[in-house]
Amino acid sequence: MNRTLSVVVPTRNEASNVKPLVRGVSRALRGSDWELIFVDDSDDGTPDIIAGLAHPRVRLLHREDDHRRGGLAGAVCD
């Protein structure tokens, strides 16, 4: 049975850290079936950076102001 490792990363205003994180995860998980899920609560350009990656293993869930509850734990649960 083939399994996919899902790495969930809650972010808030982390635009400068997105690309280095994706590169690091890509290197660390090379040869594995994985996906990187950003759950983003940012007010800066972070969601645009993530969406602009067009990486087949990167997903984005951007939570708007009225859906941000529970801080980092709430982001991971969402």
Side-chain angles (χ1 to χ4, degrees):
M1 176 168 46
N2 191 15
R3 295 181 187 217
T4 301
L5 173 65
S6 298
V7 180
V8 179
V9 180
T11 54
R12 181 164 174 86
N13 301 335
E14 297 286 346
S16 64
N17 295 317
V18 168
K19 290 180 182 179
L21 178 64
V22 172
R23 281 192 301 268
V25 169
S26 295
R27 275 193 307 269
L29 298 177
R30 186 176 298 131
S32 300
D33 189 13
W34 60 273
E35 66 180 348
L36 182 59
I37 305 166
F38 286 95
V39 184
D40 184 68
D41 291 354
S42 296
D43 299 314
D44 68 353
T46 301
D48 295 328
I49 298 290
I50 297 167
L53 292 173
H55 192 292
R57 295 182 184 264
V58 174
R59 317 255 185 275
L60 169 63
L61 169 61
H62 179 70
R63 303 189 317 165
E64 297 295 335
D65 288 342
D66 56 337
H67 289 94
R68 296 177 189 165
R69 61 194 176 285
L72 293 177
V76 171
C77 289
D78 276 353

